[in-house]
Amino acid sequence: MGEEKKEERKIRVLIAKPGLNGHDRGAKVVARGLRDAGMEVIYTGLRQTPEQIVETAIQEDVDVVGLSILSGAHMTLLPKVVQLLRERGADDVLVIAGGIIPTEDIPKLKEAGIAEVFLPGAPISKIVEFIKKNVRKRR
Amino acid sequence: MFRRETLEEIENRLKEWEKLVQEETKIIPEREKEFRTLSGIPVKRVYTPLDIKDKDYMRDLGLPGEYPFTRGIHTTMYRARFWTMRQFSGYGGPEETNRRLKYLLKHGETGLSLAFDFPTIMGLDSDHPLAHGEVGVCGVAVDTLKDMEIIFDGIPMDKVTTNMTINHPATVLLAMYIAAAEKQGVPPTKIGGTTQNDPLKEFIAQKSYVFPPEPAVKLAIDIIEYCTKHVPKWNPISISGYHIREAGATAVQELAFTLADGITYVKQAIERGMDVDQFAPRLSFFFAAHIDFFEEIAKFRAARRMWAKIMKEWFGAKKPRSMWMRFHVQTSGVSLTAQQPENNIVRVAIEALAAVLGGCQSLHTNSMDEAWALPSEKAVKIALRTQQVIAYETGVANTVDPLAGSYYVEWLTDKIEEEAWKYIDRIESMGGMIEAIKKGFPQREIADSAYRFQKEVEEGKRIIVGVNAFVDEDEKLEIPLLRVDPEIEKRQIERLKRIKKERDNSKVQQRLAELRRAAERGENVMPYILNAVKVYATLGEIMDTLKEVYGEYKEPILF
Amino acid sequence: MAEGDIEFVERIAEGVLRGDVRSIARAISIVENEPRLAPLLISKIFPYTGRAHIVGVTGPPGSGKSSLIAKLAKIWRKDGKKIGIIAVDPTSPFTGGALLGDRIRMQELTGDKDVYIRSMASRGSLDGLSRATRDAIKILDAAGKDIIIVETVGAGQAEVGIVKVAHTVLVVLCPGLGDEIQFLKAGIMEIGDIFVVNKADIGDADRVVLEIENILEMASEFLPQKPAWAPLVIKTSVITNEGIEKLVRSIEEHYAYIRGTSEGEFVRDKIIEELVDIIGENVREYARHLITKDSMCNEILERVLKKDIDPYTAARKILAEMLKRREF
Ligand SMILES: Nc1nc2c(ncn2[C@@H]2O[C@H](COP(=O)(O)OP(=O)(O)O)[C@@H](O)[C@H]2O)c(=O)[nH]1
Ligand SMILES: [Mg+2]
């Protein structure tokens, strides 16, 4: 009868803010929006190093890491997160980024393993939709 | 202000008129069930003398330059002098900034403005691990007095005024500025400028905090006290609502929280034994101009009136200058859209017009691409030209406070004031802004407003042209590359290393120890920081010394 | 269960026993999301449980639980103890989502390999502690954590599940909560082994201490005999570190006391509770399944709807049917 039970799978998301910029309006609005879409959102506060972000992602076994960045250090920090996740064998985690990211850098970030980049003005519903469609079936 | 008969007549007529409206709206309904300002204040169909019938002209408005300064702090306002058109700048290393400043000076600007990179804003040296990738990115990097010397190399510091956007480490940067001037032979009495030095709004909004609220405020008061005595031409503090607004606050919240911050500073300065009329004339404010045109104008007018009341009635200020709310305005960054960026020119123009009709002392107009890029030269020029068109072509500056007497604007001014007082009362009943911050009150209010706004936009209840309406389907967002020369970080770290090797390290240690002891004793730390920067102690070292005494702030969890 | 599943669970269980972080994390996800696999996983690790000191930390939101836990963990780390932390926050009843923010306060622990922190949402558990949380504790226990700290929001009687699993329960309060007294009366007073009055650096902590002591005294008068462990009240501050060291030592003392006196009983009670829980859950699930999906039981439901029979009679019939089929 166990098979009858619905496999209740909540999407777990880590919202992190690497970099020194403290503008957290976007990160907080997105965190709330994802919660209201039924996800479990772990928020770790400001100014996290890539190492801290990855350690948290592993411990929390999240499906998604959402990185909010505004300070221009995205090309150093974002690929580092993906790389560290890979090193820890967690390459099935969906990594997305949001913030002010130059168009020219987006292909490079995608190449580095960032699944999607959401620019200013992107509605939360788009982010929700993207996560639901792309979150990986994990094992 | 109106005769009773007139009011009665209007009231009667209004009833008739409502019937007419009922008929007409049956045929053509109104666009919305309810209209609201950006702050959420309900807006009626029409305003009449009835809405301001309790106003007393002399008590509530007065003449320009007279208490309560609703109509402006000066008698002639822009008929004498336009507002100062101040555009901010500053990036890269000290060398690049020096070149930029010289260029601006050559083109007639005397009001310089320094933006610092994030490591500096956070009080970290360029070689700190967290600084990697951010050195010189969003402003200039400053580690030691040497950097300040380079920035002002060849610039006569008694001939320029400098605005420094710096908060928790403001004591250190101001000390470096004073020391750099002294090296040029310019005494502190001859330098002028502004330090933002508003630590409270960092907890509420901008989140570039280092110290817990009490010591952070203590340091801010140290600057006020020190400047009052030794640097008389300096504006020690610029109490800022801009960042609060940008973080998602409404106009009412921006106003209320900023005033509550100001109240805290004034209280603390008085508690330290300073005379209110001695320091208050040097306080200044900084607000945002957002897109809800009349609400912004009403906000500025209410702000002036409220501050005048606070200074006079709460703190017993005597000099009119102490009651003046002098304020700088920047047009709203968050109202700009990355979509169809040219539309931003229009937004900025409307916002700038609100600032001018609101009676600002200085104005920064955003470039259309300012929110997400280093503005292009052309964009910067258009932004400046926008101000010039308003000043020289429109005629709005020819009379003082031209919107006074508008039923709507006066009603809205009152309404905003009323709502802002409610917040201030609430904060006072919590024990003041510091306690409110610890409880997370303003932070939560702002986060709620930001989320509400976002939902309204996504549900189509708020239209943003080019974003959720009138979208160009084939538009591709273009965010230009921010090219940061990695050499700047390398150069900065090398210089830092060299200075640490060449300076008299035992002297540095000694002065840091003296600073530490002074901080422990609760003394004004400015003289000690000045002593430390003079022997090339670094920003990070000084901040670390203070952190050891004051501790570090961690934000409460809030959603 | 497919062979792949079994292999997968075995691999994870092995990892847990090795103390591998990723395996621990995965294992907790299994007990949260895959009721099909969870029993197998627990069966693999259960023999290795029962070694950790489980400390429950409860109290109203904002009283400083997370901040305090960070401090405790740091001190225990200096003693060489391995730490597991589970922080439970409520699931929104409207959206099913949750915002989990306790880690913000524990930032400085991230990076220490011997501290594992997991944020969990309550997901509609009845007493604040879901089945998954209980299993997560077992996982950390089996992974070799010496001390497992469980943070739950306690705002009244409904959230006292923590007593059923923790050796030592801290109730964290602070000045300025306003309704703290209400809160105390709401039943949480009975569950604390140690009452912590945090934020002693602000407000009137002494008054709160006094209030708690009064209530404890009043409560003890109704007890037939004095309990061997009289609840302690300790004043702390995360800012000045006042009382932190004392708190740590008191927690250890309490554990020593439990071990010396009633641990056998405690474990026994805990397992009885757990068995009843699991049986109840299974029966409930199965009953729901039968009533909604099985034609015969469905008929019984229809009869109740028609007022043909009453719910008690119907329940008896369905229960008889369940026992006959023996499918669970
Ligand atoms: N002044 C003071 N503030 C504290 C203390 N402990 C925690 N806080 C603050 O109280 C707020 C809530 O703390 P948190 O640990 O998240 O509480 P929780 O909700 O019970 O987990 C935070 O802003 C903390 O910084 C303390 O001992 N003194
Ligand atoms: Mg907590």
Side-chain angles (χ1 to χ4, degrees):
Chain A
M1 68 133 254
E3 333 295 316
E4 296 294 327
K5 278 192 184 172
K6 208 171 65 212
E7 302 254 301
E8 171 84 3
R9 217 171 94 62
K10 286 265 157 74
I11 297 175
R12 282 170 70 86
V13 187
L14 169 63
I15 297 289
K17 256 197 77 52
L20 291 175
N21 190 322
H23 292 135
D24 54 2
R25 173 184 178 144
K28 283 194 165 165
V29 164
V30 168
R32 278 203 200 195
L34 298 184
R35 176 201 54 190
D36 289 352
M39 301 182 194
E40 291 182 354
V41 183
I42 294 138
Y43 183 70
T44 51
L46 298 168
R47 305 193 180 92
Q48 297 282 292
T49 63
E51 286 79 7
Q52 285 173 313
I53 292 168
V54 168
E55 184 59 39
T56 302
I58 301 268
Q59 288 187 7
E60 297 286 358
D61 196 31
V62 293
D63 307 288
V64 184
V65 173
L67 300 165
S68 160
I69 189 154
L70 295 159
S71 52
H74 55 275
M75 289 312 281
T76 350
L77 297 172
L78 300 190
K80 188 83 194 278
V81 170
V82 177
Q83 182 209 327
L84 289 172
L85 277 171
R86 280 186 186 149
E87 280 171 20
R88 301 283 297 268
D91 40 5
D92 50 357
V93 177
L94 186 70
V95 183
I96 56 178
I100 297 168
I101 293 169
T103 319
E104 209 174 304
D105 288 338
I106 294 175
K108 284 181 238 161
L109 289 172
K110 289 200 170 161
E111 217 166 279
I114 306 287
E116 189 56 276
V117 173
F118 294 94
L119 295 178
I124 297 172
S125 52
K126 275 261 167 61
I127 303 176
V128 170
E129 197 181 302
F130 182 85
I131 291 177
K132 287 196 170 152
K133 209 157 91 201
N134 291 282
V135 68
R136 288 155 203 164
K137 249 204 131 30
R138 312 171 54 211
R139 174 133 295 182
Chain B
M1 280 199 291
F2 305 94
R3 284 187 306 139
R4 225 189 52 226
E5 304 87 83
T6 316
L7 290 173
E8 271 166 19
E9 197 185 330
I10 297 171
E11 205 163 1
N12 292 334
R13 185 63 217 144
L14 206 55
K15 278 185 201 131
E16 292 300 306
W17 182 79
E18 283 294 341
K19 282 184 207 148
L20 192 69
V21 170
Q22 291 306 321
E23 290 305 310
E24 292 205 352
T25 50
K26 266 185 217 145
I27 303 161
I28 310 171
E30 292 183 327
R31 285 181 290 112
E32 311 274 343
K33 267 216 174 60
E34 194 184 38
F35 292 80
R36 285 177 180 274
T37 67
L38 209 48
S39 272
I41 296 173
V43 177
K44 293 201 297 184
R45 186 170 293 120
V46 71
Y47 290 84
T48 67
L50 291 174
D51 295 292
I52 55 169
K53 62 178 189 295
D54 299 326
K55 291 219 86 58
D56 178 325
Y57 182 85
M58 287 314 292
R59 183 194 66 200
D60 299 321
L61 298 172
L63 287 167
E66 289 181 359
Y67 188 83
F69 305 103
T70 313
R71 307 203 57 185
I73 58 171
H74 301 299
T75 50
T76 54
M77 287 302 287
Y78 309 136
R79 286 169 67 98
R81 250 191 329 154
F82 287 127
W83 59 93
T84 307
M85 301 175 196
R86 191 195 285 155
Q87 303 295 100
F88 285 67
S89 58
Y91 343 89
E95 289 85 353
E96 289 79 10
T97 304
N98 176 256
R99 275 199 293 279
R100 175 85 190 148
L101 294 184
K102 279 184 174 154
Y103 169 87
L104 291 172
L105 286 174
K106 222 173 80 192
H107 286 78
E109 284 210 35
T110 53
L112 303 179
S113 194
L114 281 186
F116 298 99
D117 66 359
F118 273 105
T120 307
I121 286 172
M122 294 301 297
L124 306 172
D125 285 340
S126 299
D127 60 353
H128 192 283
L130 278 176
H132 181 51
E134 310 211 31
V135 176
V137 175
C138 300
V140 58
V142 175
D143 295 314
T144 67
L145 172 58
K146 189 82 207 160
D147 296 319
M148 198 63 92
E149 289 168 17
I150 296 170
I151 292 172
F152 287 97
D153 183 47
I155 298 172
M157 290 174 82
D158 51 349
K159 299 280 184 323
V160 297
T161 61
T162 306
N163 188 314
M164 293 199 277
T165 307
I166 191 78
N167 292 280
H168 281 218
T171 47
V172 187
L173 275 300
L174 176 59
M176 287 179 183
Y177 192 84
I178 293 171
E182 276 181 2
K183 286 217 150 183
Q184 286 188 2
V186 177
T189 47
K190 290 237 171 84
I191 59 171
T194 307
T195 33
Q196 192 163 75
N197 189 32
D198 171 11
L200 286 176
K201 61 105 173 34
E202 298 298 336
F203 303 110
I204 301 172
Q206 175 106 326
K207 311 290 170 78
S208 293
Y209 41 65
V210 179
F211 306 113
E214 286 93 350
V217 170
K218 185 251 178 222
L219 289 172
I221 307 299
D222 279 1
I223 291 187
I224 296 178
E225 187 181 40
Y226 188 83
C227 289
T228 308
K229 284 185 192 147
H230 307 288
V231 202
K233 292 198 322 194
W234 199 265
N235 297 308
I237 190 167
S238 167
I239 307 160
S240 306
Y242 185 80
H243 317 82
I244 293 174
R245 190 64 179 278
E246 290 285 289
T250 63
V252 170
Q253 290 166 342
E254 176 194 5
L255 173 58
F257 298 160
T258 308
L259 292 179
D261 287 348
I263 289 168
T264 309
Y265 300 130
V266 174
K267 265 192 199 157
Q268 301 261 337
I270 291 174
E271 260 170 42
R272 200 179 282 195
M274 297 167 70
D275 172 15
V276 67
D277 281 314
Q278 217 169 13
F279 69 84
R282 282 269 147 215
L283 305 179
S284 64
F285 287 81
F286 174 19
F287 290 110
H290 217 293
I291 196 72
D292 189 325
F293 187 66
F294 290 113
E295 182 169 62
E296 292 303 295
I297 295 167
K299 176 188 78 182
F300 296 126
R301 300 175 82 243
R304 257 192 313 269
R305 183 158 74 201
M306 290 173 79
W307 187 244
K309 282 186 198 166
I310 289 167
M311 292 310 291
K312 185 175 175 173
E313 291 169 18
W314 293 27
F315 296 117
K318 304 242 163 12
K319 284 194 205 161
R321 271 177 174 272
S322 305
M323 304 170 206
W324 286 2
M325 171 179 266
R326 298 180 298 142
F327 61 91
H328 173 70
V329 174
Q330 181 171 345
T331 58
S332 160
V334 290
S335 72
L336 305 186
T337 65
Q339 295 81 358
Q340 307 177 19
E342 293 83 358
N343 297 352
N344 292 330
I345 299 175
V346 182
R347 292 189 178 101
V348 168
I350 291 167
E351 293 166 354
L353 185 58
V356 168
L357 291 171
C360 67
Q361 274 55 59
S362 61
L363 177 60
H364 170 106
T365 33
N366 282 333
S367 309
M368 59 175 160
D369 49 4
E370 181 138 340
W372 59 89
L374 280 190
S376 65
E377 248 173 57
K378 180 159 183 198
V380 173
K381 201 195 255 170
I382 293 173
L384 181 60
R385 294 289 179 260
T386 304
Q387 295 202 39
Q388 290 159 342
V389 169
I390 292 173
Y392 295 97
E393 295 183 18
T394 63
V396 297
N398 294 349
T399 184
V400 181
D401 190 26
L403 286 178
S406 148
Y407 309 124
Y408 178 44
V409 170
E410 293 297 357
W411 172 84
L412 195 53
T413 303
D414 286 357
K415 183 74 186 162
I416 285 179
E417 176 171 353
E418 182 189 320
E419 294 295 317
W421 281 126
K422 277 189 203 155
Y423 265 121
I424 291 175
D425 287 346
R426 233 167 121 187
I427 290 165
E428 283 296 302
S429 74
M430 288 179 192
M433 192 45 133
I434 291 181
E435 289 308 314
I437 285 170
K438 285 194 197 154
K439 289 202 167 74
F441 173 70
Q443 299 95 308
R444 197 185 305 270
E445 289 290 308
I446 292 171
D448 286 349
S449 298
Y451 191 52
R452 201 177 318 124
F453 181 78
Q454 176 74 20
K455 274 176 97 167
E456 285 175 5
V457 170
E458 292 196 15
E459 288 162 5
K461 288 185 193 150
R462 292 252 173 227
I463 297 297
I464 300 178
V465 173
V467 175
N468 65 352
F470 316 108
V471 175
D472 286 342
E473 290 303 338
D474 49 356
E475 182 188 20
K476 281 201 65 171
L477 275 194
E478 274 301 322
I479 294 189
L481 197 59
L482 184 95
R483 232 177 267 283
V484 195
D485 185 358
E487 277 306 307
I488 290 175
E489 181 167 330
K490 242 175 79 194
R491 188 191 339 128
Q492 201 62 20
I493 293 175
E494 272 164 20
R495 176 155 53 226
L496 184 60
K497 276 201 187 123
R498 203 174 53 241
I499 289 172
K500 279 186 175 174
K501 220 167 63 206
E502 288 169 3
R503 67 185 183 181
D504 184 341
N505 273 304
S506 68
K507 239 187 196 150
V508 171
Q509 289 315 316
Q510 180 206 328
R511 302 231 166 139
L512 288 176
E514 282 165 14
L515 167 63
R516 198 197 150 99
R517 283 195 295 276
E520 281 166 350
R521 286 193 302 266
E523 274 181 57
N524 189 324
V525 292
M526 266 310 287
Y528 300 92
I529 293 177
L530 197 54
N531 278 340
V533 303
K534 281 180 182 167
V535 295
Y536 296 92
T538 71
L539 170 68
E541 289 167 337
I542 295 173
M543 292 295 280
D544 284 345
T545 305
L546 294 176
K547 281 183 210 168
E548 281 170 33
V549 180
Y550 297 141
E552 281 179 81
Y553 181 75
K554 282 198 206 116
E555 69 170 338
I557 309 157
L558 300 160
F559 288 102
Chain C
M1 205 176 294
E3 201 158 310
D5 283 345
I6 297 174
E7 223 173 87
F8 166 67
V9 171
E10 279 174 350
R11 205 178 65 231
I12 296 290
E14 265 166 42
V16 168
L17 297 178
R18 264 188 288 118
D20 170 57
V21 175
R22 210 158 140 62
S23 303
I24 297 172
R26 275 298 153 87
I28 296 179
S29 297
I30 289 175
V31 298
E32 272 198 306
N33 302 320
E34 305 192 53
R36 231 159 31 84
L37 304 185
L40 177 63
L41 175 74
I42 297 300
S43 77
K44 297 279 172 202
I45 60 156
F46 186 70
Y48 306 94
T49 61
R51 295 180 223 180
H53 177 193
I54 299 160
V55 179
V57 180
T58 192
S63 60
K65 299 178 293 297
S66 303
S67 317
L68 214 50
I69 289 172
K71 288 275 175 187
L72 299 180
K74 267 199 132 171
I75 294 182
W76 277 323
R77 282 299 301 131
K78 276 195 206 121
D79 297 346
K81 300 261 168 57
K82 292 183 181 147
I83 307 290
I85 299 172
I86 298 171
V88 183
D89 275 320
T91 293
S92 156
F94 305 109
T95 66
L99 272 175
L100 312 171
D102 294 308
R103 285 191 85 104
I104 297 181
R105 302 257 87 84
M106 308 179 187
Q107 219 65 265
E108 47 200 323
L109 301 170
T110 311
D112 181 338
K113 280 197 294 297
D114 288 317
V115 180
Y116 176 89
I117 308 173
R118 179 66 169 237
S119 315
M120 296 180 84
S122 60
R123 298 198 185 174
S125 68
L126 294 174
D127 59 3
L129 222 58
S130 63
R131 168 99 267 116
T133 309
R134 286 163 219 234
D135 286 342
I137 295 172
K138 292 193 194 80
I139 290 165
L140 292 177
D141 192 347
K145 299 299 178 197
D146 300 300
I147 301 176
I148 299 164
I149 311 174
V150 185
E151 172 179 344
T152 58
V153 174
Q157 242 140 1
E159 290 90 358
V160 295
I162 191 72
V163 244
K164 295 186 199 159
V165 298
H167 296 98
T168 309
V169 175
L170 312 188
V171 174
V172 182
L173 302 164
C174 68
L177 282 173
D179 294 334
E180 64 248 41
I181 289 298
Q182 275 322 99
F183 177 77
L184 299 176
K185 283 186 187 149
I188 202 148
M189 264 338 249
E190 286 134 50
I191 70 167
D193 299 306
I194 300 172
F195 290 85
V196 182
V197 179
N198 189 38
K199 307 196 187 181
D201 54 302
I202 57 157
D204 195 355
D206 288 321
R207 193 183 52 93
V208 184
V209 169
L210 217 68
E211 276 167 5
I212 297 173
E213 281 171 350
N214 278 338
I215 293 175
L216 286 175
E217 199 166 310
M218 259 158 42
S220 77
E221 278 168 22
F222 291 100
L223 293 176
Q225 65 190 68
K226 268 221 170 306
W229 176 271
L232 298 173
V233 186
I234 297 177
K235 221 166 51 165
T236 61
S237 166
V238 170
I239 309 283
T240 64
N241 284 328
E242 176 188 347
I244 304 282
E245 191 71 34
K246 183 174 168 204
L247 176 60
V248 168
R249 300 312 157 210
S250 304
I251 295 170
E252 289 168 349
E253 236 168 71
H254 180 263
Y255 187 49
Y257 158 78
I258 290 281
R259 303 253 298 193
T261 54
S262 57
E263 191 175 26
E265 198 184 313
F266 169 78
V267 172
R268 209 184 138 84
D269 284 353
K270 181 158 118 174
I271 289 180
I272 292 174
E273 280 292 333
E274 179 152 30
L275 290 178
V276 171
D277 263 4
I278 296 173
I279 292 168
E281 239 166 73
N282 276 303
V283 169
R284 231 192 312 275
E285 280 297 318
Y286 187 45
R288 177 166 294 119
H289 165 76
L290 281 184
I291 297 168
T292 53
K293 302 267 161 66
D294 180 88
S295 59
M296 193 187 147
C297 293
N298 206 277
E299 224 165 86
I300 302 177
L301 169 69
E302 292 303 326
R303 286 177 63 191
V304 180
L305 286 171
K306 276 189 234 139
K307 304 261 164 67
D308 215 13
I309 55 171
D310 66 282
Y312 283 101
T313 313
R316 243 189 342 262
K317 280 180 192 289
I318 292 169
L319 193 59
E321 197 57 35
M322 284 166 76
L323 289 169
K324 205 165 77 196
R325 298 195 191 188
R326 289 191 215 147
E327 277 180 335
F328 55 91

